[in-house]
């Protein structure tokens, strides 16, 4: 949450406003809230002195201090792990300036450590682990590994705790495998090509024109990208495409672009989806 607002100067009890343009931020709001039950703080904030340590400079110093504390903890964990990898990427912020994000990935827990963590917490909760009869995790090697995974270490001390793959993750694996089927794979590829075809401003404006002037009511205004890694985004992409088919797909035959023939795309998609 951002500390600063649009206005963060002046009397802290008079400057507050529900107006977004005059909002003075979370930092000053928290101080006002704390002052309700702390008479000394309220007296200090209401005093005539000019040094209150509530200025934008003081707020930035607090943010920097928090950043240093968090960064020191992360650096300490990375150094203790003895092994790490680096990821870097850049993207533009709201002002259009490119910002570089630097990420460090490290392993701070082994299968044996996680197994101990699970058993210790069960015992702390007061659960008698002598009755432990089953385990369920995902397919990650740390959790399901035959020799050094969590399930293996727990089973060494509790042989009756049978490991069963998590049902939710099993469904995810089944869906992933199903998408490699020729018809489904080709269908998703076609949806991606159609979306890419209409991503250009001129074509997109024509598509939106037909949507707005269609006799059918549609809440969708554009096609979504079919993400390779997030299944929920694939669902939304296909769901929106089906909605377009009932309202505006009949107009897509007007478009041609190189080797893409929308008429053929429409026919192929219909054969797969229906």
């Amino acid at each position: 949450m951002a500390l600063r607002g649009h206005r963060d100067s002046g009397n802290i009890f008079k400057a507050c406003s529900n107006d977004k343009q005059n909002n003075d931020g979370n930092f000053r709001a928290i101080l006002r809230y704390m002052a309700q039950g702390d008479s000394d703080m309220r007296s200090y904030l209401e005093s005539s002195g000019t040094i209150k340590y509530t200025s934008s400079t003081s707020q930035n110093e607090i943010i920097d201090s928090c950043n240093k504390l968090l960064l020191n903890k992360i650096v300490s964990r990375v150094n203790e792990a003895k092994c790490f990898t680096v990821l870097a990427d850049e993207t533009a912020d709201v002002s259009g300036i490119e910002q570089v994000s630097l990420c460090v990935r490290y392993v701070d827990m082994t299968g044996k450590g996680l197994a101990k963590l699970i058993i210790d917490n069960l015992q702390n909760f007061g659960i008698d682990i002598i009755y432990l009869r089953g385990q369920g995790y995902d397919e990650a090697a740390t959790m399901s590994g035959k020799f050094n995974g969590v399930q293996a270490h727990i089973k060494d001390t509790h042989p009756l705790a049978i490991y069963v793959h998590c049902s939710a993750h099993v469904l995810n694996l089944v869906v992933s495998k199903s998408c490699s089927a020729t018809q489904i794979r080709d269908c998703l590829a076609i949806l991606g090509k159609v979306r890419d075809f209409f991503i250009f401003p001129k074509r997109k404006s024509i598509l939106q024109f037909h949507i707005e002037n269609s006799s059918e009511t549609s809440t969708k205004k554009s096609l979504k990208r079919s993400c390779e890694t997030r299944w929920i985004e694939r669902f939304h992409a296909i769901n929106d495409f089906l909605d377009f088919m009932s309202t505006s797909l009949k107009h897509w035959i007007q478009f041609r672009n190189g080797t893409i023939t929308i008429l053929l795309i429409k026919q192929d998609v219909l054969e797969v989806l229906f």
Side-chain angles (χ1 to χ4, degrees):
M1 296 175 63
L3 284 183
R4 299 181 60 185
H6 291 285
R7 293 187 56 186
D8 48 11
S9 61
N11 188 299
I12 197 169
F13 294 103
K14 294 181 180 179
C16 59
S17 172
N18 292 327
D19 182 6
K20 291 183 178 181
Q21 296 300 321
N22 296 317
N23 186 287
D24 60 351
N26 291 310
F27 179 75
R28 290 163 65 89
I30 291 172
L31 290 179
R32 280 194 296 273
Y33 176 77
M34 294 181 65
Q36 293 178 8
D38 190 329
S39 57
D40 291 336
M41 177 178 284
R42 186 174 186 89
S43 297
Y44 174 77
L45 294 174
E46 289 181 331
S47 63
S48 58
T50 57
I51 300 177
K52 305 292 185 181
Y53 298 102
T54 60
S55 67
S56 59
T57 301
S58 295
Q59 292 182 48
N60 287 337
E61 289 179 354
I62 292 173
I63 293 173
D64 289 338
S65 298
C66 293
N67 174 65
K68 290 179 180 178
L69 288 173
L70 292 173
L71 188 58
N72 288 338
K73 288 186 177 181
I74 294 173
V75 169
S76 177
R77 291 178 180 178
V78 172
N79 289 334
E80 289 176 0
K82 307 295 183 183
C83 181
F84 67 91
T85 61
V86 173
L87 299 174
D89 197 4
E90 60 180 340
T91 186
D93 59 19
V94 293
S95 63
I97 300 175
E98 289 289 330
Q99 302 287 348
V100 176
S101 298
L102 180 63
C103 301
V104 175
R105 301 187 68 180
Y106 62 96
V107 178
D108 64 347
M109 185 66 74
T110 62
K112 186 175 183 180
L114 285 171
K116 185 178 184 301
L117 178 68
I118 293 172
I119 296 300
D120 288 347
N121 277 278
L122 289 175
Q123 291 176 330
N124 291 336
F125 296 151
I127 297 175
D128 192 347
I129 59 174
I130 195 174
Y131 301 114
L132 181 59
R133 295 294 183 270
Q135 311 174 64
Y137 316 114
D138 60 22
E139 191 67 20
T142 304
M143 305 303 294
S144 62
K146 186 176 181 180
F147 300 105
N148 292 312
V150 170
Q151 67 92 14
H153 286 290
I154 290 181
K155 204 167 184 179
D156 285 343
T157 55
H158 301 81
L160 297 179
I162 300 173
Y163 167 64
V164 179
H165 196 292
C166 173
S167 297
H169 285 87
V170 168
L171 177 60
N172 185 71
L173 294 174
V174 170
V175 173
S176 178
K177 186 66 175 179
S178 299
C179 286
S180 63
T182 303
Q183 284 188 315
I184 298 177
R185 181 197 62 202
D186 293 347
C187 174
L188 294 176
I190 290 172
L191 295 185
K193 289 181 180 179
V194 172
R195 185 261 180 186
D196 293 342
F197 181 80
F198 285 106
I199 199 173
F200 295 96
K202 184 176 181 180
R203 299 169 190 165
K204 187 175 182 179
S205 64
I206 297 176
L207 176 62
Q208 290 178 338
F209 172 80
H210 287 301
I211 294 173
E212 294 171 357
N213 291 275
S214 173
S215 58
E216 301 287 342
T217 302
S218 176
T219 59
K220 309 298 187 297
K221 301 301 180 184
S222 63
L223 292 170
K224 292 185 175 65
R225 182 175 66 91
S226 180
C227 181
E228 292 294 330
T229 56
R230 293 182 176 87
W231 292 105
I232 188 62
E233 292 191 17
R234 290 194 186 187
F235 166 78
H236 289 311
I238 296 173
N239 189 57
D240 289 0
F241 186 87
L242 291 174
D243 185 70
F244 276 116
M245 288 182 66
S246 63
T247 57
S248 305
L249 188 61
K250 57 187 177 182
H251 299 290
W252 293 3
I253 191 175
Q254 299 178 25
F255 300 97
R256 297 290 187 274
N257 180 31
T259 59
I260 298 180
T261 303
I262 303 304
L263 176 60
L264 296 178
I265 289 177
K266 175 181 177 182
Q267 180 179 353
D268 291 342
V269 173
L270 286 172
E271 290 178 353
V272 175
L273 295 182
F274 296 94

